[in-house]
Amino acid sequence: MKPPFFRSRFSLGITARLFLAVLFTAVCVVVAMTLAAQWSFNRGFLGYLNEQEAERLEAARPRIIAAYLENGSSWEFLRGERRRWFHLLRPVPAQEPQPAPSPPLSELTGALLRTTLLDENGHFVVGFSDTRGQGTRQPLQVDGRTVGYVVHAQFQSVTAAGDVRFERSQFRASWTMGAVSALLAALVALWVARVLLKPLREMAKATKRLAEGDYSIRVDARSPDEVGQLATDFNQMAQVLERNEAMRRDFMADLSHELRTPLGVLHGELEAMEDGVRPLTRESLPSLQAEVATLNKLVSDLYDLSLAEAGAMTFQHTPLDLVELLRLAVVSYAQRLSDAGIVLEVQCDEPELVVSGDRRRLRQLFSNLLENSLRYTDRGGRLQIAARRGADQQAVLTFSDSAPGVEPEQLQRIFDRFYRVEGSRSRASGGAGLGLAICRRIIEAHGGALQAQPSPLGGLLMTIRMPLNHERSGTPLHEGVGA
């Protein structure tokens, strides 16, 4: 394992590694192509020389056979006579005129010196002994009878001075082209490393700034490839983190405010009693109890909301009748609504709406919705509650109240924690802004949905939808409950 100092001092970045990888690949390809070109050239050039010699021997075979017949059908006239042998191998000027005074290519390459004559028994007659029995063997036949063999050792390397110079010039040209190709590959690799990796370097810098707490950072996501998709995902992540950070700050500010208000009232009341400004009597206790109840409600709501957001809120699902639960909730709020001057109207077309749910949580849901209407409906207004069976086998419950209403752009935000429509927090009827957030999480845990819309009465219309269950019956909710 490398020590940390070595890794920090000698480790290469992704740009350098990509550059070296592309350059190494290109150089390997260039070297392989150059070596392959040289090998192919050698094979082709030597093959060309061997073909020339084969053509020369084929043309000389009739002359060799004619000389054999003229000398008594014996090879004794050539035994040890290399000059006469070379003369037979050379073309006759009258029969094979040359277009130029230069000698044939095979003579320049020394092909004649690589040719041997063997008799019918394969015994050496004339030529060079070091080529005996090697290379290609061509028979010499007279009247269908083999009288001898011409053996030619093929070229294995270039030996003539002109051919060597030509070969070297080809090799130099190949390696020069290879060097130029490697240089071009280096330039291309540098371009790839610098240009194509530029978005990644920008995202690396942006990620570092994001880790340092700068959630406003964004990167250019105009590229249509995978890098552009990565940049888009990064921007979405940064946007979510920025929104979460803003929500966290708002949450802390709202929480501190909601806790400070009842605590401040309690502190003032207790100081007044301690200083003797306000006597400690039975009549002074209700105000203290109210502030303690406010704190207890706030802490309970925070606890429920934290459990819901963490997915740890417990539910005991059993078959129960929503109509019965709604009737109990309405009865408990009827007097408070009447005291607030709000007319309550309830309508239910079904004797029962059986669902699978948690009784305590659903009662909390109805209580929060009724509390919301109670707090935010002007005196002299109305609250209409309806329960019916939906066409898609769902139980549908609606809570519709009168003015004041909610602006359309605020309808989705009313389910955010600590969000309240009114701007002032000093409003006496204002709550902590947690009730509707808890309501949505309760209904979603039951597989249902909670939707907010403008009410025909001028206020807010809350619609609950839950899947029905048919395992038990409940007590029907009678019409006419009102205040």
Side-chain angles (χ1 to χ4, degrees):
M1 182 177 179
K2 297 181 180 179
F5 173 79
F6 183 85
R7 292 198 302 267
S8 61
R9 289 288 300 274
F10 300 99
S11 60
L12 297 176
I14 186 174
T15 302
R17 282 184 286 175
L18 180 61
F19 170 76
L20 293 178
V22 175
L23 179 61
F24 177 76
T25 303
V27 169
C28 289
V29 172
V30 169
V31 171
M33 292 181 62
T34 302
L35 294 177
Q38 291 182 359
W39 176 80
S40 177
F41 171 77
N42 287 334
R43 291 290 299 268
F45 188 51
L46 294 177
Y48 169 74
L49 295 179
N50 289 322
E51 289 178 0
Q52 291 292 315
E53 178 58 17
E55 293 177 0
R56 168 62 59 85
L57 292 179
E58 186 65 26
R61 285 175 63 187
R63 295 193 302 270
I64 297 174
I65 294 175
Y68 170 80
L69 295 175
E70 291 175 359
N71 289 274
S73 299
S74 174
W75 296 114
E76 293 299 325
F77 75 100
L78 284 178
R79 193 172 301 276
E81 297 291 336
R82 288 186 292 179
R83 184 179 298 275
R84 296 186 64 180
W85 170 243
F86 293 154
H87 179 74
L88 289 176
L89 293 177
R90 292 189 178 94
V92 180
Q95 296 178 356
E96 300 181 19
Q98 297 292 331
S102 60
L105 178 62
S106 60
E107 295 186 14
L108 291 177
T109 59
L112 297 180
L113 301 178
R114 306 168 65 86
T115 307
T116 303
L117 176 64
L118 305 178
D119 61 14
E120 64 274 13
N121 298 319
H123 297 151
F124 176 77
V125 177
V126 69
F128 289 89
S129 58
D130 58 349
T131 61
R132 187 186 309 171
Q134 299 178 1
T136 60
R137 176 179 295 193
Q138 297 183 2
L140 300 174
Q141 295 182 341
V142 176
D143 297 331
R145 182 174 62 89
T146 300
V147 297
Y149 300 93
V150 177
V151 179
H152 170 64
Q154 294 185 346
F155 291 98
Q156 301 296 327
S157 62
V158 178
T159 57
D163 298 331
V164 171
R165 287 194 300 270
F166 178 70
E167 181 185 37
R168 290 178 178 175
S169 66
Q170 293 298 313
F171 286 176
R172 285 195 299 269
S174 298
W175 284 110
T176 301
M177 293 175 60
V180 173
S181 300
L183 179 60
L184 292 177
L187 296 177
V188 172
L190 181 62
W191 177 82
V192 170
R194 291 178 61 87
V195 176
L196 296 186
L197 292 181
K198 183 179 179 181
L200 295 180
R201 291 195 298 269
E202 293 179 354
M203 276 188 285
K205 295 179 181 178
T207 303
K208 183 178 180 181
R209 291 181 58 184
L210 190 66
E212 294 174 351
D214 184 6
Y215 301 111
S216 63
I217 186 66
R218 298 291 186 274
V219 295
D220 188 7
R222 292 179 296 179
S223 177
D225 53 12
E226 290 82 357
V227 177
Q229 183 61 42
L230 179 61
T232 301
D233 295 340
F234 175 87
N235 291 337
Q236 292 177 353
M237 179 185 67
Q239 183 178 1
V240 171
L241 291 176
E242 184 179 21
R243 184 172 64 250
N244 290 342
E245 176 63 15
M247 292 175 62
R248 185 190 67 83
R249 292 177 180 177
D250 293 342
F251 175 79
M252 296 303 297
D254 294 338
L255 180 60
S256 62
H257 176 85
E258 296 296 336
L259 290 174
R260 186 171 62 248
T261 301
L263 287 175
V265 174
L266 283 174
H267 182 70
E269 291 282 349
L270 293 175
E271 277 192 346
M273 294 178 182
E274 184 180 11
D275 295 339
V277 177
R278 183 174 182 181
L280 179 58
T281 62
R282 183 177 296 273
E283 289 75 16
S284 62
L285 291 179
S287 62
L288 299 178
Q289 289 287 356
E291 298 302 329
V292 172
T294 301
L295 282 174
N296 184 62
K297 179 68 166 56
L298 176 60
V299 173
S300 298
D301 288 346
L302 284 172
Y303 179 71
D304 289 340
L305 185 60
S306 64
L307 290 179
E309 291 182 344
M313 182 178 284
T314 58
F315 295 88
Q316 296 180 354
H317 290 270
T318 58
L320 51 87
D321 184 12
L322 282 182
V323 176
E324 177 186 357
L325 290 179
L326 186 59
R327 179 183 63 82
L328 296 175
V330 167
V331 170
S332 63
Y333 272 83
Q335 186 59 47
R336 295 180 58 190
L337 291 169
S338 177
D339 295 341
I342 300 174
V343 178
L344 175 62
E345 300 175 2
V346 181
Q347 180 181 2
C348 182
D349 299 330
E350 299 291 335
E352 63 179 14
L353 293 172
V354 181
V355 298
S356 177
D358 186 289
R359 179 178 297 272
R360 184 174 65 89
R361 294 300 182 185
L362 290 178
R363 288 199 62 176
Q364 182 182 7
L365 167 69
F366 296 150
S367 296
N368 287 346
L369 294 178
L370 288 168
E371 188 72 27
N372 186 73
S373 296
L374 178 62
R375 289 178 180 272
Y376 297 105
T377 302
D378 291 339
R379 190 173 186 84
R382 286 190 301 165
L383 171 61
Q384 293 180 348
I385 301 176
R388 61 182 175 85
R389 185 185 302 268
D392 50 357
Q393 293 300 311
Q394 285 187 332
V396 180
L397 280 69
T398 58
F399 291 72
S400 179
D401 55 34
S402 56
V406 179
E407 296 297 329
E409 60 272 10
Q410 295 177 322
L411 287 176
Q412 292 303 317
R413 293 199 60 192
I414 63 175
F415 296 105
D416 296 341
R417 54 191 178 186
F418 289 111
Y419 181 79
R420 293 187 300 184
V421 176
E422 78 278 0
S424 173
R425 294 184 180 271
S426 62
R427 180 173 176 177
S429 61
L434 298 175
L436 293 182
I438 296 175
C439 288
R440 166 164 281 188
R441 284 162 176 80
I442 290 176
I443 199 65
E444 289 176 350
H446 285 79
L450 177 61
Q451 184 181 10
Q453 296 174 298
S455 170
L457 302 178
L460 186 65
L461 172 62
M462 306 295 292
T463 303
I464 299 174
R465 288 182 172 85
M466 290 183 62
L468 287 170
N469 191 316
H470 302 283
E471 294 189 14
R472 71 180 292 272
S473 300
T475 304
L477 176 65
H478 300 287
E479 298 183 9
V481 178

